[in-house]
């Protein structure tokens, strides 16, 4: 897995051997900036003071996504084998199927972004996090630990989550607990150019114990 992903894969001693381990291939995404549409979104969420300049309209942005290593512990199912339940909404954690005996760890080298000069990725990153439900203060604190010039994709829940900063694995990370979905959580941190995302059922203490056992 380390050879395929191009990173030194680390696994938590706390959980023993994984029941599932996969390496997803690298990919790239390309999109063109639509200033009018983005400014409209900013106005709708009360951030009209962050209006983007017209000079960025039509700017090309490319994101290069390195290979991702996925490890599952317990009775886990992959996206290929798991059937979506009735009423499932990928943007609403309250509708997600609960697999109480599954904990997952994803890791990948930080995605890189090619964007034109004048496109403030740090600012856009904070806007993105606010759209997902963070307060401006939470988004600012989180962004202090993420280099948005090199990191584009952070797998944060889009609705119904409470966030807090934590010290994990020797760095500062973000812990998000899904409101209305039991004790589901996601713990995200970036260390030595690698993005880690730990998901499972339990408390922040449970997540920290697992994350701090990575070897």
């Amino acid at each position: 897995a380390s050879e395929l992903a191009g990173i030194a894969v680390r696994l938590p001693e706390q959980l023993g051997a994984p029941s599932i381990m996969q390496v997803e291939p690298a990919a790239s995404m390309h999109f063109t900036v639509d200033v009018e549409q983005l400014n409209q979104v900013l106005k709708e969420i009360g951030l009209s003071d962050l209006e983007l300049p017209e000079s960025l309209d039509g700017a090309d942005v490319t994101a290069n996504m390195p290979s991702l290593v996925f490890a599952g512990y317990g009775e886990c199912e992959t996206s290929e084998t798991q059937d979506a339940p009735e009423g499932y909404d990928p943007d609403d954690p309250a509708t997600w199927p609960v697999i109480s005996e599954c904990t997952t760890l994803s890791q990948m080298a930080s995605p890189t972004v090619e964007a034109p000069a004048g496109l403030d990725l740090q600012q856009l990153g904070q806007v993105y996090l606010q759209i997902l439900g963070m307060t401006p203060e939470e988004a600012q604190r989180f962004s202090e630990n993420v280099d948005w010039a090199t990191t584009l994709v952070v797998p944060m829940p889009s609705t119904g989550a409470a966030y807090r900063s934590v010290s994990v694995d020797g760095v500062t990370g973000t812990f998000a607990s899904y409101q209305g979905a039991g004790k589901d959580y996601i713990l995200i941190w970036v260390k030595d150019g690698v993005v880690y995302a730990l998901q499972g059922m339990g408390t922040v203490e449970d997540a920290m114990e697992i994350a701090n056992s990575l070897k």
Side-chain angles (χ1 to χ4, degrees), residues 27-200:
S28 62
M29 297 183 297
H30 176 84
F31 63 91
T32 301
V33 176
D34 186 327
V35 169
E36 182 179 357
Q37 186 177 52
L38 287 176
N39 283 336
Q40 182 61 38
V41 171
L42 294 177
K43 290 179 181 178
E44 290 178 358
I45 63 173
L47 298 174
S48 56
D49 56 322
L50 299 180
E51 186 170 336
L52 299 175
E54 289 294 332
S55 59
L56 293 179
D57 192 51
D60 291 326
V61 179
T62 300
N64 299 305
M65 309 290 294
S67 296
L68 179 143
V69 179
F70 171 90
Y73 297 85
E75 300 177 7
C76 301
E77 297 180 89
T78 65
S79 57
E80 290 80 12
T81 61
Q82 183 177 339
D83 293 329
E86 184 177 354
Y88 170 75
D89 181 350
D91 291 328
D92 183 1
T95 69
W96 293 359
V98 175
I99 306 177
S100 60
E101 300 301 324
C102 177
T103 299
T104 66
L105 175 67
S106 300
Q107 53 194 294
M108 66 187 298
S110 293
T112 58
V113 180
E114 301 171 12
L119 185 61
D120 190 339
L121 292 177
Q122 184 78 10
Q123 185 181 66
L124 289 181
Q126 292 188 39
V127 171
Y128 162 70
L129 294 173
Q130 290 180 60
I131 291 174
L132 295 187
M134 286 191 184
T135 66
E137 293 75 17
E138 290 172 334
Q140 182 177 3
R141 286 196 300 269
F142 182 84
S143 293
E144 290 174 354
N145 303 302
V146 175
D147 181 4
W148 287 99
T150 58
T151 302
L152 176 68
V153 178
V154 178
M156 303 300 291
S158 59
T159 58
Y163 302 90
R164 59 183 289 188
S165 295
V166 294
S167 178
V168 57
D169 198 21
V171 298
T172 300
T174 296
F175 179 86
S177 57
Y178 302 131
Q179 300 171 345
K183 295 182 179 180
D184 295 83
Y185 68 78
I186 181 168
L187 173 62
I188 297 169
W189 70 101
V190 181
K191 182 173 183 177
D192 297 331
V194 177
V195 181
Y196 297 91
L198 177 69
Q199 291 182 276

